[in-house]
Amino acid sequence: MPRPKPKTTDLLKFALFLGIGLFFIYWFLLKLAPDQRHAIWQAFVEANWWWVAAVVAETALSHYVRALRWRLLFKPIGHTPSRNNTFGSVAVAYLSNLAFPRLGEVMRCATLRTSEGIPMEKSVGTVVTERLFDVLAFGVVLLIGLLVMFGKAKDWLYDALSQKFAALPRLWVVIVVAAVAAVAVVAVYRKYRNSWLKYKAFRKIDSLLTGAAEGLRSIFRLDRRSLALFLLYSACLYGLYILGGWLIFRAFDETSWLGLRAAFVMYIFGSVGMMISQGGLGAYPVLVWQALDIYGISETAGLACGWLFWGAQQATAIALGLAYLLYFAIKKNAESR
């Protein structure tokens, strides 16, 4: 049978998704200063693109590993999403996060609901579980980084973190207030829950909270094999993040001699940049340069390396996200026929 021609609506969707990706690239470049744009251009001219391609592959692989790890959390709550749909949901999440902070967490749950029929409230619980684990894991990585770093690197990191959190109250105050508020909310909720269930709006909230709680408990219900895989995927994920830095070093003659220790330091600095600005825009390349300055790398090479590394990661997120948005749109259209 002849292959059906694509509908006009499918072509319009493809054009729309392509336009969204081009808009993201234009929007990023528009916000850059002239010298920053020049650094990006120099990176494109001077870089060894085989190593840049390796960074793109490493970034895509890290997204896939994250999807495999997230997929494990659905088994205890009675769902087994396909690897492809889970990976696609993660890809859409990374694309969405480029526009608005944490929009991706909502989008990946919504995408999985559409593609797999998994209630969104349950997916939200697994995402919260995953993010809490990541916070703890990054704390361990940061602690190791503070032990591994030396001199200028350690002083800079302390200064950056103190400036970032200088306006916050003392940690013990935050913990006490949060604990008291949590106890109060739980007490009120448990006391009045039955009487409030007659209201439709509260039933939706209750369903969301119940599903989220079930998702949060998913990591504690993993069997030994799944728990071992979860930890293995987590170790691979952070290993890939550091490997990406080592790969981008190879793209420039001036940084090609740097090893995994420098890549580890760069990952720590870059993570701070991701916290400072949306998607690390502007801050990430500068902090990469600050990290590389410790090893005597020039400002030009450091900024070029940072911009190209950041750009390769964002380009991967845009390409994968758009591809899966198109995939999910075509799949939904085919199923509705």
Side-chain angles (χ1 to χ4, degrees):
M1 291 182 66
R3 186 176 181 179
K5 295 182 179 181
K7 286 187 173 183
T8 304
T9 53
D10 292 336
L11 295 177
L12 288 175
K13 287 175 183 177
F14 176 77
L16 174 63
F17 298 145
L18 180 61
I20 292 173
L22 293 176
F23 168 75
F24 275 124
I25 296 173
Y26 173 75
W27 184 62
F28 288 146
L29 294 177
L30 191 65
K31 296 183 70 174
L32 300 177
D35 59 333
Q36 293 174 327
R37 287 196 291 269
H38 178 70
I40 293 178
W41 176 250
Q42 286 299 114
F44 275 76
V45 171
E46 298 174 0
N48 183 326
W49 280 88
W50 288 110
W51 289 109
V52 177
V55 171
V56 170
E58 170 272 325
T59 303
L61 180 59
S62 70
H63 295 347
Y64 186 68
V65 172
R66 178 172 290 279
L68 292 178
R69 190 185 68 165
W70 183 36
R71 184 171 175 263
L72 290 172
L73 296 177
F74 287 95
K75 185 177 180 181
I77 57 178
H79 296 280
T80 309
S82 70
R83 292 181 179 87
N84 185 48
N85 287 339
T86 309
F87 178 47
S89 298
V90 170
V92 171
Y94 275 101
L95 175 65
S96 303
N97 278 334
L98 295 179
F100 300 101
R102 299 309 170 196
L103 175 62
E105 313 308 342
V106 177
M107 285 299 298
R108 66 163 155 163
C109 295
T111 305
L112 210 56
R113 178 188 61 186
T114 303
S115 61
E116 292 281 349
I118 299 176
M120 193 164 175
E121 57 270 15
K122 291 187 177 182
S123 295
V124 168
T126 61
V127 169
V128 172
T129 300
E130 185 190 37
R131 285 307 182 190
L132 286 175
F133 180 86
D134 281 337
V135 169
L136 295 174
F138 180 73
V140 173
V141 172
L142 183 61
L143 179 61
I144 295 173
L146 291 174
L147 296 175
V148 171
M149 289 183 201
F150 54 92
K152 190 176 178 180
K154 187 178 294 186
D155 292 341
W156 186 95
L157 186 60
Y158 275 124
D159 290 342
L161 292 175
S162 63
Q163 290 175 14
K164 173 69 177 176
F165 300 105
L168 296 178
R170 293 181 178 274
L171 181 60
W172 70 267
V173 175
V174 175
I175 294 175
V176 170
V177 172
V180 171
V183 171
V185 169
V186 170
V188 172
Y189 174 78
R190 295 185 66 177
K191 182 175 181 180
Y192 297 102
R193 178 177 180 270
N194 292 333
S195 59
W196 287 348
L197 282 174
K198 61 184 179 181
Y199 300 107
K200 184 178 180 180
F202 181 79
R203 287 199 298 272
K204 290 184 177 180
I205 295 174
D206 182 72
S207 176
L208 179 64
L209 291 174
T210 302
E214 186 176 356
L216 278 170
R217 290 193 294 267
S218 59
I219 195 170
F220 299 105
R221 298 179 183 174
L222 292 175
D223 55 52
R224 289 185 178 180
R225 179 179 180 277
S226 297
L227 181 59
L229 278 175
F230 187 89
L231 296 176
L232 177 62
Y233 288 148
S234 298
C236 289
L237 196 59
Y238 286 96
L240 284 169
Y241 292 156
I242 296 169
L243 176 64
W246 183 86
L247 292 173
I248 201 64
F249 291 158
R250 315 267 83 70
F252 297 93
D253 291 337
E254 189 172 340
T255 59
S256 60
W257 62 274
L258 295 173
L260 288 175
R261 178 168 179 169
F264 181 76
V265 172
M266 188 177 77
Y267 167 70
I268 298 293
F269 275 53
S271 298
V272 175
M274 289 296 186
M275 295 190 302
I276 292 175
S277 64
Q278 169 60 17
L281 181 63
Y284 187 91
V286 173
L287 296 186
V288 166
W289 161 54
Q290 291 287 333
L292 298 184
D293 181 58
I294 300 168
Y295 298 93
I297 304 301
S298 68
E299 179 179 358
T300 300
L303 285 173
C305 184
W307 277 115
L308 190 55
F309 191 31
W310 178 85
Q313 294 176 73
Q314 306 313 312
T316 306
I318 292 172
L320 283 176
L322 289 176
Y324 268 101
L325 277 175
L326 181 62
Y327 166 77
F328 285 129
I330 294 175
K331 181 180 179 182
K332 184 177 180 181
N333 185 51
E335 290 175 349
S336 62
R337 292 175 184 175

